[in-house]
Amino acid sequence: MIRNADLYTLATSGLNASSKLLATTSNNIANINSEGYVRERTQFTSRLNGGVDFGFTDRVLDVFAQNQLRRDTSLVGQYQAFYDRVEGLDNTLASEANSISSAMTKFFESIQTASDDPTSMPSRDAIIGQAQGMLNRINQLGDYMKAKEIEVEQHIEASVSKANSLIKQIGELNEAIQVAQGNSVVDTPTKLLNQRDLAILELSELVAIDVRQSSNNNDNGLVVNLKSGESLVLADGAFNVFTVGGEPDYTNRQLQLSTDFQKFNKADTKINIVEQDLGGALGGVFKYREQVLEPAERNLGKLATVLADTVNTQNRQGMDLDQQLGQNIFSISDFRGINYPDNSDLSLSIKGRIIPGGSSEITNNDYRITVLTAPAGAPATFDVQVAAIKNDGTPQLDENNNPITQTLTVTAAQGQYNATIGGIELEFASGASYAVGDEFLVQPTRLAAANLNLATTRGEDLAFAKPIRIDANIDNLGDASLIATKVTNTNVDNTFANPNASAFNGNAGIHAPGTSPSPIFGAPVSVRFTATDEYQVLDSNDNVITTVSGVADLNNLIEQAKATGVPAWPAEFAALSDYPGYDFSLQGIPQTNDEFSISFNQNGFNDNRNALELASLQQQSLVRQSNSSLGNPVNYNESFATIVGQVGAATSSAKIDLEAANVMKTQSSEWFESSSGVSLDEEAANLIQFQQSYAAAARILSSAQEMFQTILQVAR
């Protein structure tokens, strides 16, 4: 039989309950400004025999609101980190003080001005000055992006260190909460729970996470996973930490998860992380690096490389003020291959450079070089695969969505360069030491802008003249006249070991019989018409190299002779890639015996033909924009405008995303605070209520005492 409680017991339990309620309310008010504090509430149940049982104090928590707040915190962290960085890059690129376009315009305008008087040294020196000014801007932007890369890597390391500290803290709090709850069946360890939730919220700002209760469906421990599914914290307190590496490029940080199971007697492992799926501030930084900074850096390097190579190529096709064949105006830096960590020997090396004149093939791609077969022979030869990859290491695709690759046989020797896709050539200097499976990463354009330099400071080295002169015979009877002179190759190699050798002998002359590749003929030095639609190509000894019949037009007469002449173009000439390296076109109607002679442009100081072609480069579509077979080329200014536009578009989009994310975070924060935050008005009302209940319970106790005293008096 259950006996009802007496008045004394009822009053005492009421006093204790009201006192605990007052303590809980006071604690809420005291912690109104405590970061991460969740409002507490004490609940009681009545005893079977009357009175109030022991109260249970717990947090007032809406898990759905809390999870939404974490998700929105991750979004704001991601967009804020991305926007802060992309805005700075956008402001730098869009600034007129850093504009490469204006510097390029001034450079080509100075060439146009100098072409009016090719012998003017002040005009030539002005071009060198403008070239240096243009380089300064290109170098400054290249150095700026290089510094931003370093800054990003440092930020990644700092964020990873903070994330690991929070992960460790959450794991330790999981353990502490289990211990605390095991020692008390009355109250929850609210302080520890608040600390854990605050640490999880801070972690959600760095990476996007999912949080769930442990499988035993109590609050002893929480499981914290990345959005992509990898576990960061387990319910038993075990945790994984981020590690930072770079394979093969150690300056390009990549993330892995490394388990820390030593105290659980489990083997540690490493798990690769897809940085694009991270979310949070870390994900925003990786997105900025992979989608904006590194592509912009490589596109700038591509523009700088193409600009330098095309100007160099055109200058080499001319004759300078010293009556020498033109040389390079700009110096394009070489680049080295980076060993992948699993290579057979990490001391192996490869070196690369841009193929002179190969700018039409240059892209912003990196390349993975893989050794396919074992080296054989002397010098060693083997097969390699060259695969175009994006800056994040994923394959680059062509217009048909196929990976861009090339397989070729290379010769591995010091000084031996092998031409590959992308307008580059590679030197495998380690000879027979390479092994099957060895891989190397080359980045032709990554640092090209920062490393571009002038190759000369002499105005005399500007090759304004054409190195050849086309003269009509004074006895010509027809009205055919010269309309164009074309020089495509001035490489000097009188041994002809270089397949790119031209007909220029490097001594102000053209190969004569006995010095040319052919044992019979010298280089073409004249064209003689034997009929209106037929002409002969002759060398300096008047030997007929070939005859072209049925001439439909007079464009590129040497090229027509190569293709349709009888007898066939000499095999020794055809074996070279571009011999003799010059051509010309006529207009009008020639007559029989009309002749046009080709000679080195001796004393052609006032010749500005090559200067005009140098100036015209600015308007030509020379910079490849895509990986398609067509390349969709644009001119220099359009290429830089594209870089600025892409960064600007990313900035504008990021700003909108950040504003939307902040609105969502504000809403979720208000939702969470409405359910779990402390309200002074509500707590003040509770104080009055609990004070009254305490007073009432005290009155019951005093009444019980009075009744007891009355009973005692009656008994006496």
Side-chain angles (χ1 to χ4, degrees):
M1 176 178 178
I2 298 176
R3 298 177 58 189
N4 291 330
D6 53 37
L7 285 177
Y8 183 80
T9 301
L10 291 172
T12 302
S13 66
L15 282 172
N16 290 336
S18 297
S19 177
K20 192 164 186 177
L21 288 169
L22 285 169
T24 301
T25 302
S26 301
N27 188 48
N28 286 339
I29 295 172
N31 284 283
I32 189 171
N33 294 316
S34 298
E35 185 179 11
Y37 182 78
V38 175
R39 178 166 62 95
E40 297 177 359
R41 179 173 59 195
T42 301
Q43 293 179 313
F44 295 90
T45 57
S46 60
R47 294 174 179 172
L48 291 176
N49 59 346
V52 178
D53 209 338
F54 293 106
F56 180 77
T57 302
D58 199 359
R59 301 182 303 163
V60 180
L61 185 65
D62 187 330
V63 175
F64 298 104
Q66 185 182 51
N67 286 334
Q68 185 62 50
L69 178 59
R70 289 169 180 160
R71 287 191 291 269
D72 293 340
T73 298
S74 294
L75 276 179
V76 170
Q78 176 179 341
Y79 293 136
Q80 189 72 59
F82 182 80
Y83 177 72
D84 287 346
R85 284 156 184 80
V86 75
E87 183 190 30
L89 181 60
D90 181 42
N91 291 337
T92 299
L93 289 174
S95 171
E96 182 61 30
N98 298 315
S99 173
I100 295 176
S101 290
S102 59
M104 289 188 295
T105 298
K106 291 178 181 178
F107 170 67
F108 286 104
E109 284 177 347
S110 67
I111 296 176
Q112 186 68 51
T113 300
S115 68
D116 294 336
D117 185 3
T119 61
S120 171
M121 282 306 302
S123 296
R124 287 172 172 266
D125 291 339
I127 295 173
I128 298 297
Q130 292 295 345
Q132 186 60 65
M134 179 177 67
L135 276 187
N136 289 342
R137 292 201 184 180
I138 293 175
N139 293 156
Q140 286 169 2
L141 277 182
D143 289 338
Y144 173 81
M145 292 185 181
K146 186 177 176 181
K148 286 299 176 184
E149 267 199 325
I150 296 173
E151 180 184 301
V152 165
E153 303 309 323
Q154 292 173 342
H155 181 84
I156 289 173
E157 288 189 352
S159 297
V160 165
S161 178
K162 182 178 179 181
N164 286 339
S165 176
L166 290 170
I167 290 169
K168 181 179 180 182
Q169 181 183 352
I170 295 167
E172 292 173 346
L173 286 168
N174 258 354
E175 289 184 286
I177 290 169
Q178 291 183 56
V179 173
Q181 287 196 322
N183 293 333
S184 173
V185 295
V186 179
D187 294 334
T188 58
T190 55
K191 182 178 180 180
L192 294 177
L193 292 170
N194 288 340
Q195 289 177 345
R196 185 178 66 183
D197 285 349
L198 180 59
I200 292 175
L201 184 63
E202 291 180 7
L203 181 62
S204 70
E205 186 175 0
L206 293 174
V207 291
I209 55 176
D210 281 325
V211 182
R212 59 180 175 82
Q213 286 185 328
S214 57
S215 57
N216 56 10
N217 201 31
N218 60 41
D219 206 22
N220 287 350
L222 291 180
V223 176
V224 181
N225 296 336
L226 289 173
K227 279 289 187 182
S228 50
E230 295 85 355
S231 295
L232 296 179
V233 183
L234 303 181
D236 60 2
F239 58 89
N240 304 327
V241 294
F242 291 111
T243 58
V244 180
E247 297 180 359
D249 183 5
Y250 67 91
T251 66
N252 197 20
R253 294 291 188 262
Q254 298 169 339
L255 289 187
Q256 289 181 320
L257 273 181
S258 178
T259 60
D260 186 11
F261 290 159
Q262 293 182 4
K263 62 182 177 180
F264 298 97
N265 295 319
K266 298 179 182 178
D268 289 336
T269 59
K270 286 190 175 182
I271 307 169
N272 290 325
I273 297 297
V274 180
E275 291 90 353
Q276 292 87 338
D277 298 335
L278 270 177
L282 257 175
V285 171
F286 275 109
K287 180 182 178 183
Y288 162 73
R289 187 187 76 179
E290 304 295 344
Q291 298 183 13
V292 180
L293 178 60
E294 291 194 345
E297 183 180 36
R298 284 163 172 78
N299 282 326
L300 180 64
K302 176 182 66 176
L303 169 59
T305 301
V306 173
L307 171 64
D309 180 64
T310 49
V311 171
N312 285 348
T313 299
Q314 191 62 55
N315 200 70
R316 288 196 305 270
Q317 293 170 5
M319 184 181 71
D320 64 22
L321 200 59
D322 298 322
Q323 298 192 78
Q324 297 177 344
L325 294 172
Q327 300 299 316
N328 289 341
I329 301 301
F330 300 105
S331 175
I332 304 172
S333 63
D334 294 344
F335 45 89
R336 293 193 173 275
I338 304 172
N339 278 268
Y340 277 77
D342 295 331
N343 280 0
S344 60
D345 183 353
L346 296 182
S347 68
L348 298 174
S349 66
I350 66 172
K351 186 171 71 172
R353 66 186 183 188
I354 300 298
I355 299 173
S359 56
S360 63
E361 298 298 320
I362 295 172
T363 67
N364 60 355
N365 295 327
D366 294 345
Y367 296 90
R368 181 188 294 114
I369 316 300
T370 306
V371 177
L372 300 178
T373 61
T381 61
F382 50 86
D383 292 341
V384 300
Q385 182 190 69
V386 181
I389 58 176
K390 301 176 184 177
N391 53 279
D392 61 1
T394 57
Q396 183 63 265
L397 306 179
D398 62 16
E399 65 269 31
N400 298 317
N401 290 320
N402 296 318
I404 300 174
T405 62
Q406 177 191 30
T407 299
L408 69 157
T409 300
V410 299
T411 300
Q414 192 85 26
Q416 176 69 48
Y417 281 85
N418 303 268
T420 72
I421 58 174
I424 63 174
E425 52 186 7
L426 303 173
E427 176 198 45
F428 296 82
S430 298
S433 300
Y434 301 98
V436 175
D438 285 346
E439 292 185 308
F440 302 87
L441 173 68
V442 294
Q443 302 168 317
T445 60
R446 180 182 177 189
L447 301 177
N451 295 334
L452 189 64
N453 292 298
L454 277 178
T456 181
T457 57
R458 298 177 70 248
E460 296 90 338
D461 290 338
L462 295 168
F464 285 172
K466 289 282 188 182
I468 61 169
R469 176 188 296 134
I470 311 297
D471 293 310
N473 191 312
I474 194 172
D475 296 325
N476 285 357
L477 299 177
D479 65 353
S481 60
L482 180 72
I483 59 170
T485 304
K486 181 168 67 173
V487 177
T488 56
N489 183 20
T490 58
N491 287 310
V492 175
D493 181 6
N494 295 323
T495 68
F496 307 108
N498 182 354
N500 297 317
S502 71
F504 295 98
N505 61 18
N507 191 29
I510 296 174
H511 291 144
T515 63
S516 77
S518 170
I520 302 174
F521 302 108
V525 296
S526 68
V527 168
R528 181 183 300 154
F529 284 87
T530 56
T532 300
D533 61 350
E534 182 179 273
Y535 63 87
Q536 298 171 332
V537 179
L538 303 94
D539 64 13
S540 58
N541 283 354
D542 225 22
N543 296 316
V544 177
I545 300 173
T546 189
T547 300
V548 181
S549 302
V551 178
D553 62 63
L554 302 179
N555 293 320
N556 300 317
L557 299 179
I558 302 296
E559 198 63 34
Q560 289 191 53
K562 290 182 182 181
T564 63
V566 178
W569 195 246
E572 296 84 1
F573 291 178
L576 300 174
S577 62
D578 185 13
Y579 191 92
Y582 50 77
D583 207 340
F584 66 99
S585 300
L586 304 174
Q587 69 177 4
I589 301 174
Q591 296 296 320
T592 301
N593 294 324
D594 282 0
E595 187 170 352
F596 294 84
S597 61
I598 306 168
S599 61
F600 193 83
N601 192 14
Q602 194 73 27
N603 298 323
F605 300 111
N606 289 315
D607 186 352
N608 69 350
R609 290 176 294 168
N610 203 52
L612 294 175
E613 293 191 15
L614 276 168
S616 70
L617 292 176
Q618 184 185 19
Q619 305 304 324
Q620 297 180 31
S621 298
L622 299 170
V623 186
R624 190 185 182 103
Q625 288 295 97
S626 73
N627 290 284
S628 71
S629 56
L630 298 177
N632 303 316
V634 296
N635 63 40
Y636 307 130
N637 287 32
E638 290 171 339
S639 177
F640 183 69
T642 299
I643 298 172
V644 176
Q646 288 173 341
V647 175
T651 304
S652 177
S653 177
K655 185 177 181 181
I656 296 173
D657 290 339
L658 178 59
E659 290 173 350
N662 275 321
V663 170
M664 293 175 62
K665 183 182 177 183
T666 299
Q667 293 175 345
S668 59
S669 180
E670 291 175 350
W671 179 20
F672 180 75
E673 286 297 320
S674 68
S675 60
S676 302
V678 177
S679 168
L680 285 178
D681 292 338
E682 182 179 349
E683 300 303 330
N686 287 339
L687 276 178
I688 296 173
Q689 176 186 349
F690 299 149
Q691 285 172 350
Q692 291 175 344
S693 65
Y694 186 92
R699 182 58 183 160
I700 294 173
L701 182 60
S702 63
S703 296
Q705 289 175 336
E706 291 174 1
M707 291 175 64
F708 183 68
Q709 291 297 329
T710 301
I711 292 171
L712 288 178
Q713 290 174 2
V714 170
R716 292 193 185 110

